[in-house]
Structure formats: C-alpha cells, structure tokens
Amino acid sequence: MLLHQGGIIKEKVNAELDELRAIAFSGKDYLSYKFRSGKSSERNQFIKNFLHKVFGYYLEVSNANKDKVPTDWIRKQTLVNAERFITEELKFTKKKSFMQKRS
C-alpha cells in the first residue's frame, strides 16, 4: 500500500475525513446523493449534476422546470434549453475537492 493512494486510515474513524474521501473518489455520485437526499421526489426529476473543468460542479435545470428552482440557488449560466445553477454548498464542495487533489 502506497501512502499517496490513500486507504491508510480506516473508514468511519473521522466523519470529515470520510466526507473528503467520498468527494475525492466519487465526487459526482457524492453530489447526487447529497442533493437528492431529503429533497422532494418532484425536485429529483429535474436536477442534473455535472462537473465542468472551468465552472466546477453545477446543477442543470431545463427551461420547463425553471420555476421550481429554489431561491437560494445562484444562476451561473444560461443555455438554449436549460439554466445552470450553483449553491454555496457546491462552492464549498469544489474547494474541498480541489484541496484534496492537491495534497
């Protein structure tokens, strides 16, 4: 086992470390779980999460569902058939992911 590959510290020793590990190794799946858990099933139908090299993580919503977007989401980009949004939590996750990859 090599140090830079991780796995030295067991899971469930530290909650913050487990969260960082989840972001580093399966960022998109982690975000899907994070944003879909606890949300209404109606909202689950129109959320799509993506990772863009420039924008980082974002949520995409079709124009047909723009009226269902929560007020705390920040509009990032307008497309022909959709809008892209970010949240404060996505910004924080992006920072965590970036710091995890640098170390």
Side-chain angles (χ1 to χ4, degrees):
M1 183 180 306
L2 300 174
L3 184 60
H4 72 277
Q5 292 176 333
I8 302 296
I9 301 173
K10 293 173 95 176
E11 290 186 29
K12 298 181 182 172
V13 171
N14 183 306
E16 184 179 357
L17 180 60
D18 289 343
E19 184 179 10
L20 289 173
R21 186 180 289 135
I23 292 169
F25 293 112
S26 60
K28 191 172 179 182
D29 295 336
Y30 171 79
L31 287 176
S32 291
Y33 170 75
K34 191 84 168 164
F35 278 91
R36 291 175 192 264
S37 63
K39 307 287 185 191
S40 69
S41 60
E42 180 182 311
R43 187 179 296 174
N44 288 345
Q45 295 173 358
F46 72 89
I47 297 174
K48 294 181 183 176
N49 2 325
F50 295 98
L51 175 62
H52 188 274
K53 288 183 181 178
V54 175
F55 296 123
Y57 293 108
Y58 63 89
L59 303 167
E60 188 171 295
V61 178
S62 67
N63 285 340
N65 294 307
K66 280 194 304 189
D67 58 329
K68 299 176 186 173
V69 172
T71 57
D72 60 333
W73 289 14
I74 304 161
R75 180 174 283 117
K76 187 72 172 173
Q77 186 178 21
T78 302
L79 305 172
V80 174
N81 295 321
E83 298 277 346
R84 290 180 178 171
F85 296 88
I86 58 171
T87 64
E88 290 300 321
E89 190 172 2
L90 280 175
K91 285 183 185 180
F92 187 66
T93 303
K94 180 183 174 187
K95 286 180 187 176
K96 282 183 178 181
S97 177
F98 178 72
M99 294 190 66
Q100 177 70 16
K101 289 177 182 174
R102 289 194 71 205
S103 56

